[in-house]
Amino acid sequence: KYQFVRALDMGGLYLLVFSKKAVQTRLGDIATATYKLAASDTGAKGAIAVRLNLDDTSFVFLNCHLDNGTQVADAHTRHS
């Protein structure tokens, strides 16, 4: 038994958050954020996030679209 909490989308990114119905009243401080990077030679990139508290514990769910690459240097750039 799950219940919808929040949805967020940006371009090709989509994030849905559901919780068990039994804990729905214990959720609080629900917030969303988007971060869109300027279009580059590989297209638009960015991230979306949903943050919420369950009792005294904070959760963040993040979905991001990063540049691709096959070289080790590309991975370092992506991670930074």
Side-chain angles (χ1 to χ4, degrees):
K1 308 285 183 193
Y2 289 90
Q3 190 167 353
F4 173 77
V5 175
R6 194 64 50 106
L8 187 62
D9 72 289
M10 181 181 74
L13 299 175
Y14 197 67
L15 183 61
L16 291 165
V17 178
F18 289 84
S19 75
K20 285 192 171 187
K21 211 171 192 181
V23 301
Q24 191 80 29
T25 58
R26 296 166 38 205
L27 295 177
D29 197 22
I30 301 171
T32 61
T34 60
Y35 184 77
K36 187 171 186 176
L37 296 171
S40 66
D41 57 341
T42 58
K45 306 296 179 206
I48 57 177
V50 175
R51 183 199 72 218
L52 59 89
N53 290 339
L54 173 61
D55 295 330
D56 293 329
T57 304
S58 180
F59 293 90
V60 176
F61 302 96
L62 175 71
N63 189 349
C64 60
H65 186 200
L66 304 173
D67 281 333
N68 64 355
T70 57
Q71 305 299 319
V72 173
D74 295 332
H76 292 300
T77 302
R78 256 195 325 273
H79 296 160
S80 67

